Amino acid sequence: MAVRAVRGAVPLERDDAGHLAEQVGALLTAVLERDGLTADDLIIESDQPRAALTHVYLGAAAALRKDIAQ
């Protein structure tokens, strides 16, 4: 089985641990949903081909990688 990496980013509006946890949680949820992954896939062992995975850049972070952000 191949190991796949998925990129993602989300902007932080303030330097606050609670806000960070909330935003990272939203990013992780979006990555799992968009790529059809489950918690068991988190080490990215997946039968999905590399081309089937999407990189998730939320909010203003989409401007960081316009070439791959969806």
Side-chain angles (χ1 to χ4, degrees):
M1 181 178 300
V3 174
R4 303 283 185 229
V6 179
R7 294 185 188 114
V10 65
L12 296 180
E13 297 163 7
R14 59 189 178 279
D15 186 12
D16 173 79
H19 177 63
L20 170 68
E22 177 182 293
Q23 294 298 91
V24 170
L27 176 62
L28 181 57
T29 297
V31 168
L32 293 174
E33 287 176 358
R34 292 182 190 187
D35 286 316
L37 302 172
T38 67
D40 290 337
D41 295 316
L42 284 180
I43 63 165
I44 315 307
E45 287 183 5
S46 178
D47 291 327
Q48 294 186 35
R50 181 178 298 153
L53 298 176
T54 60
H55 304 291
V56 180
Y57 289 75
L58 299 178
L64 297 174
R65 291 298 303 263
K66 291 179 183 178
D67 58 324
I68 62 173
Q70 297 185 5

